[in-house]
Amino acid sequence: MSTRRTLRLGLAAYGTGWDLDAWRLPEATNAGLRDPSVILDIARTAERGKLDYVFAGSALGSEPDRLNRIHRWDNFVYAGHAAAITKNLGFVMSVNSSFEHPYSVARQLATLDNFNQGRTALNVVFGIDRDGDPVGNFGRNPVPTEETKYARAREFTDVVNRLLYDSWDHDFLLDDKAGGTLVRPGSWHQTDFSGEHFEVRGPLNVPPPVQSHIPIVQVGLSEESLRYGADLAQLRFSPYFGISRGKEEYRRLKERVAAGGRDPEKFKIIPGITFHLGGTAREARAKFNEINALQLTQALPAAFSRALGIDLSRVRDSERVLSVVDIDKLPDDALSPLLSDRVLDTADDRELLRRILGTQIGEDATLRELYHYVQRARHAQQPAVVGDAKAIADWLEENLEEEVLDGVQLFPPYHRGPADLFVDLVVPELQRRGIFRTEYEAPTLQGLLDTDDTY
């Protein structure tokens, strides 16, 4: 029996895909902004690939000028509908503890978990400083400060858990028709919670969830956020830090969980990636460069001149990078002024530039293509993984074996196409290597993710 670690894989469902420019491709469909069938198809695709869950990020702010946030379907409604057309796929629900009330959220979670028979997870976010002025959408509803939002998040989670798991015994239904007793006496328990932020009487007026514990997901980088995750969550949606720093962050997070008396193996660390996949590596790079070329590049040539110590003002951007730049003569930190710390996963920036040219934009890449790559990478929230099925499977396997991650959340750059390609090409390769399931092995999301019952 194989003892190899196996991946957890989730798929993000957004109306136009995740990339800010890929929606402009001729083959991309943007009907997902108004047609629910587009992201319902994502759920079908995810289940066809035996993926763990779909994540449909919610939002409370109004941002009509940001294309990737212009419309966000209510994720509970989406998951309820998508659960009816799937049998095994899980659904991660996002709620914001700074705005939402634990009684309403507990009702939604318990209802969904009963309707989908144990396929629900909860992503608790507590940001109140997002663009789009979410505070303005809630009028006089009390909103915590930056200093108090973490205490409110802990209290919120405590109340949700009490309502879900302590309100009713599972054998509450006596159904004694002859004796006239429907509900077993003593089977319900009042919550009577009174805290700094919430007062809730209880019990919940929905039956307890199917799962013994609905998995909780933590996001965020602050110390308070990480402490919340180590104490109360079962999964972390983490940034990707690269191999070297990622191994260290992975170890630290697992140690935090263990220090609290919990099993670190039951706590899963899952970064997000945007994948660019093709039948061949050349096809994947060509599509990636086509998407990058949709950007407008203005100040980067001057920034490159300063960083590399080469005057590029008179060099055509159609010139090959390797015809202009001698990588061996560059400073060790040549790319540091140009890229974020998340991308700079090496002590030697020369090696990083070789890797960018070799595996992502191609050794024949032009300066224009390099400019576009850097402009995108500066603002990327997760890495772009580019290649054929073998290359992407290699990347996933290496990061899994190096203990950088326990799985990934996949962000298709556009719809449709990339998600289907991943399921059709990468999943069979991962299965062949024995690092991803061939059949669903548990009836609940808690079982698939192998998380604990901590609350």
Side-chain angles (χ1 to χ4, degrees), residues 342-408:
R342 294 183 187 176
V343 181
L344 293 167
D345 173 39
T346 177
D348 186 346
D349 288 6
R350 292 169 298 201
E351 182 59 34
L352 175 57
L353 181 55
R354 289 191 181 95
R355 193 170 69 204
I356 291 170
L357 293 173
T359 64
Q360 299 202 359
I361 60 177
E363 293 182 350
D364 292 330
T366 64
L367 286 170
R368 182 190 307 115
E369 290 168 336
L370 183 60
Y371 296 157
H372 286 151
Y373 173 88
V374 168
Q375 186 171 2
R376 179 175 301 277
R378 284 173 67 90
H379 304 289
Q381 296 184 15
Q382 64 260 148
V385 182
V386 184
D388 59 11
K390 180 181 181 302
I392 292 181
D394 286 345
W395 188 95
L396 291 167
E397 184 174 25
E398 179 184 16
N399 279 272
L400 179 69
E401 293 190 342
E402 290 288 341
E403 296 191 342
V404 174
L405 48 77
D406 297 304
V408 295

Side-chain angles (χ1 to χ4, degrees), residues 180-220:
T181 305
L182 180 63
V183 174
R184 183 174 60 81
S187 62
W188 61 271
H189 313 281
Q190 205 156 293
T191 306
D192 285 332
F193 181 91
S194 180
E196 181 182 357
H197 300 278
F198 303 106
E199 289 189 2
V200 179
R201 183 190 63 181
L204 193 65
N205 62 348
V206 177
V210 171
Q211 298 179 96
S212 62
H213 187 265
I214 291 174
I216 293 177
V217 182
Q218 176 260 334
V219 296

Side-chain angles (χ1 to χ4, degrees), residues 37-244:
S37 68
V38 174
I39 58 172
L40 289 173
D41 282 345
I42 293 173
R44 292 188 181 95
T45 299
E47 181 156 91
R48 184 166 62 83
K50 307 295 189 294
L51 272 58
D52 292 83
Y53 65 84
V54 160
F55 171 74
S58 190
L60 301 178
S62 302
E63 300 176 73
D65 295 327
R66 293 184 61 181
L67 294 182
N68 68 333
R69 297 179 70 86
I70 181 174
H71 290 156
R72 292 286 181 91
W73 301 100
D74 182 280
N75 54 183
F76 276 96
V77 176
Y78 165 67
H81 192 160
I85 60 171
T86 56
K87 294 181 178 179
N88 300 282
L89 183 69
F91 298 90
V92 178
M93 301 293 96
S94 285
V95 301
N96 191 316
S97 62
S98 292
F99 297 90
E100 300 180 74
H101 194 280
Y103 190 84
S104 298
V105 170
R107 277 177 44 80
Q108 292 174 296
L109 287 170
T111 299
L112 182 61
D113 205 61
N114 276 278
F115 273 60
N116 66 25
Q117 286 297 289
R119 296 188 277 144
T120 307
L122 171 63
N123 174 34
V124 179
V125 299
F126 18 87
I128 57 175
D129 52 354
R130 298 280 186 93
D131 293 337
D133 187 23
V135 176
N137 287 332
F138 284 78
R140 297 177 181 175
N141 185 50
V143 176
T145 65
E146 284 294 321
E147 291 71 30
T148 62
K149 67 181 183 182
Y150 299 107
R152 174 171 166 134
R154 284 179 173 272
E155 192 173 297
F156 174 93
T157 305
D158 182 17
V159 178
V160 167
N161 284 333
R162 292 190 194 198
L163 288 167
L164 288 175
Y165 312 117
D166 298 337
S167 288
W168 291 90
D169 297 339
H170 279 273
D171 60 349
F172 69 89
L173 184 61
L174 184 60
D175 199 17
D176 179 6
K177 296 180 180 179
T181 305
L182 180 63
V183 174
R184 183 174 60 81
S187 62
W188 61 271
H189 313 281
Q190 205 156 293
T191 306
D192 285 332
F193 181 91
S194 180
E196 181 182 357
H197 300 278
F198 303 106
E199 289 189 2
V200 179
R201 183 190 63 181
L204 193 65
N205 62 348
V206 177
V210 171
Q211 298 179 96
S212 62
H213 187 265
I214 291 174
I216 293 177
V217 182
Q218 176 260 334
V219 296
L221 292 169
S222 71
E223 178 62 27
E224 285 293 335
S225 176
L226 293 173
R227 189 176 295 121
Y228 170 95
D231 292 343
L232 299 172
Q234 285 71 42
L235 291 88
R236 167 165 166 74
F237 284 169
S238 172
Y240 179 76
F241 297 102
I243 296 288
S244 57

Side-chain angles (χ1 to χ4, degrees), residues 304 308 312 315-321 324-325 365-372:
F304 262 86
L308 304 183
L312 298 173
V315 180
R316 292 176 301 175
D317 62 7
S318 59
E319 290 286 342
R320 290 177 66 245
V321 174
V324 178
V325 178
T366 64
L367 286 170
R368 182 190 307 115
E369 290 168 336
L370 183 60
Y371 296 157
H372 286 151

Side-chain angles (χ1 to χ4, degrees), residues 6-22:
T6 55
L7 286 162
R8 272 70 186 175
L9 296 176
L11 186 63
Y14 292 91
T16 61
W18 186 248
D19 193 276
L20 291 178
D21 300 295

Side-chain angles (χ1 to χ4, degrees), residues 34 82 84 121 179 191 199-200 206 214 223 262 266 269 272 289 322 342 386 401 416 421 441 451:
R34 54 180 171 77
T191 306
E199 289 189 2
V200 179
V206 177
I214 291 174
E223 178 62 27
R262 299 173 56 195
K266 299 289 186 179
I269 297 171
N289 287 331
L322 294 179
R342 294 183 187 176
V386 184
E401 293 190 342
R416 292 199 46 176
L421 276 179
E441 66 272 30
T451 56

